[in-house]
């Protein structure tokens, strides 16, 4: 930083030193003026740095989401702004993008995924993103444009599930509970297409990108559709032929979370942003409304979330041998 303070004047005049200097009444005002100037400069430095305890003061916090057009995000941004926090919601259409963006520092936080998805990402990538707060659990639903009940789906028909590992396992367990497939393992967070007992199952199962399961329904008997894509595809939550139970304690690994880099877990601004999400009634009501009344809102202690993540990661590593 360039020092813009005035250079102290030399006591020597242009013609050499003054041997006798008359007392001046202006000396104290000049000293006071200098002190005031220094105080102003110090104040500017403090204001612009924001202190050492809050590294994000005065900066924009970028949060990656899937579905930024949902009205509650604008409500959330305003609630954060009311507390002096500038938030930018960054939209993604692909679930595979927000985590690398946080890991690489392009985003500060993201909020789009459950703990099982986060565990799979961390293990596959070698990163260590961590939850800093819970948002909600959303049920996973089986939808159809051709049939009005599970029983109507004919034997041998094709049903789609998401192709990412965590949602695929959850979808297969749902299909098993609906009586459409049988899983050799009995069903777990590690089930995949190879776990299907084809001889004992009523339907064939095809894996598609999560964003495409709903839009492919014209060509399928049914599809398990992630909550984010239900309304976008013109579907109604109430029309789901079957769905899992988000109130079940076994569903906690599917709790959606805000995620951050491990080094940022104690950032007070990020923690406050989680609290704003959990404490702002209009945001909470907006989430439930967008989910068609299906979302179960959470304020699970962050220590519990991290413990669940660690357990899922450990089980996944054991599963992979």
């Amino acid at each position: 930083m360039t020092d813009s303070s005035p250079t102290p004047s030399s006591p020597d005049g242009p013609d050499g030193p003054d041997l006798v200097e008359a007392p001046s009444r202006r000396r104290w005002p000049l000293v006071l003026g200098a002190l005031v100037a220094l105080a102003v400069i110090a104040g500017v430095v403090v204001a612009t740095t924001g202190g050492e305890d809050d590294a994000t003061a005065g900066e924009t916090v970028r949060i990656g989401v899937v579905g930024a057009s949902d009205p509650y995000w604008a409500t959330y941004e305003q609630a954060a702004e009311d507390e002096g926090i500038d938030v930018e919601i960054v939209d993604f259409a692909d679930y595979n993008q927000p985590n690398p963006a946080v890991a690489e520092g392009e985003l500060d936080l993201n909020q789009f995924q459950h703990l099982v998805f986060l565990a799979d990402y961390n293990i596959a990538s070698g990163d260590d993103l961590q939850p800093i707060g819970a948002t909600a659990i959303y049920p996973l639903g089986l939808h159809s444009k051709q049939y009005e009940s599970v029983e109507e789906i004919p034997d041998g028909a094709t049903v789609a599930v998401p192709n990412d590992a965590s949602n695929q396992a959850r979808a297969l367990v749902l299909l098993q509970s609906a009586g459409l497939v049988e899983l050799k393992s009995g069903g777990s967070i590690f089930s995949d297409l190879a776990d299907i007992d084809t001889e004992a199952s009523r339907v064939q199962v095809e894996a598609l990108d999560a964003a495409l399961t709903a839009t492919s329904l014209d060509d399928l008997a049914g599809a398990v559709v992630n909550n984010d894509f239900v309304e976008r595809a013109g579907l109604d939550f109430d029309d789901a032929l079957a769905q899992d139970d988000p109130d079940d304690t076994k569903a906690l690994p599917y709790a959606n979370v805000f995620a951050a880099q491990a080094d940022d877990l104690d950032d007070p601004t990020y923690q406050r942003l989680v609290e704003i999400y959990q404490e702002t009634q209009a945001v909470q009501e907006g989430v439930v409304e967008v989910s068609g009344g299906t979302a179960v809102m959470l304020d699970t202690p962050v220590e519990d979330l991290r413990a669940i993540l660690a357990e899922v990661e450990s089980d996944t590593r054991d599963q992979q041998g």
Side-chain angles (χ1 to χ4, degrees):
M1 178 183 292
T2 302
D3 186 356
S4 59
S5 301
T7 302
S9 299
S10 168
D12 291 355
D15 298 323
D18 295 330
L19 298 181
V20 178
E21 182 177 357
S24 172
R25 295 181 180 179
R26 298 181 61 195
R27 184 172 298 168
W28 281 111
L30 288 172
V31 172
L32 289 173
L35 291 174
V36 170
L38 288 172
V40 170
I41 293 171
V44 170
V45 171
V46 170
T48 55
T49 60
E52 297 180 355
D53 293 334
D54 187 359
T56 61
E59 299 178 2
T60 297
V61 179
R62 304 184 80 234
I63 304 176
V65 307
V66 175
S69 60
D70 292 337
Y72 67 83
W73 281 121
T75 305
Y76 176 74
E77 284 181 308
Q78 185 59 55
E81 183 179 337
D82 291 344
E83 296 202 17
I85 305 173
D86 184 25
V87 168
E88 178 186 356
I89 300 299
V90 181
D91 196 25
F92 292 86
D94 184 349
Y95 284 157
N96 296 313
Q97 295 176 344
N99 278 332
V102 171
E104 294 165 10
E106 297 172 5
L107 298 174
D108 300 296
L109 306 171
N110 65 43
Q111 198 291 108
F112 76 102
Q113 66 192 321
H114 49 59
L115 292 169
V116 178
F117 189 97
L118 179 56
D120 285 344
Y121 169 78
N122 279 343
I123 291 172
S125 66
D127 289 330
D128 184 27
L129 302 187
Q130 291 288 320
I132 64 168
T135 58
I137 291 180
Y138 301 91
L140 203 58
L142 171 64
H143 292 263
S144 176
K145 287 186 176 180
Q146 302 180 47
Y147 306 105
E148 296 183 357
S149 70
V150 170
E151 292 72 24
E152 289 183 14
I153 296 176
D155 294 351
T158 299
V159 173
V161 297
N163 65 359
D164 61 275
S166 58
N167 285 309
Q168 182 173 128
R170 188 182 180 192
L172 290 173
V173 172
L174 169 60
L175 294 183
Q176 178 172 255
S177 68
L180 294 174
V181 302
E182 287 291 333
L183 301 175
K184 301 170 188 176
S185 68
S188 73
I189 62 172
F190 306 112
S191 293
D192 57 17
L193 297 188
D195 193 22
I196 299 173
D197 184 339
T198 55
E199 294 298 324
S201 298
R202 281 188 51 210
V203 298
Q204 300 180 45
V205 180
E206 177 181 353
L208 298 174
D209 185 279
L212 300 178
T213 59
T215 57
S216 301
L217 274 173
D218 288 337
D219 303 316
L220 299 166
V224 177
V225 181
N226 288 38
N227 197 279
D228 288 326
F229 303 114
V230 172
E231 288 191 327
R232 296 188 206 180
L235 302 173
D236 192 317
F237 292 98
D238 293 335
D239 290 339
L241 307 188
Q243 66 179 31
D244 54 11
D245 182 6
D247 290 315
D248 190 332
T249 56
K250 294 180 181 179
L252 267 181
Y254 296 105
N256 280 249
V257 297
F258 279 94
Q261 292 188 27
D263 291 341
D264 292 333
L265 300 184
D266 295 326
D267 186 292
T269 300
Y270 298 168
Q271 292 175 344
R272 184 57 194 148
L273 285 171
V274 171
E275 293 170 352
I276 290 171
Y277 187 100
Q278 294 175 346
E279 296 171 359
T280 305
Q281 184 175 355
V283 171
Q284 297 278 290
E285 291 175 349
V287 174
V288 173
E289 181 178 355
V290 166
S291 74
T294 64
V296 176
M297 307 308 295
L298 301 174
D299 58 2
T300 309
V302 70
E303 294 81 7
D304 294 350
L305 300 175
R306 292 173 190 165
I308 293 170
L309 177 66
E311 182 178 357
V312 174
E313 289 182 351
S314 177
D315 289 347
T316 302
R317 291 189 181 95
D318 290 346
Q319 179 77 10
Q320 293 175 351

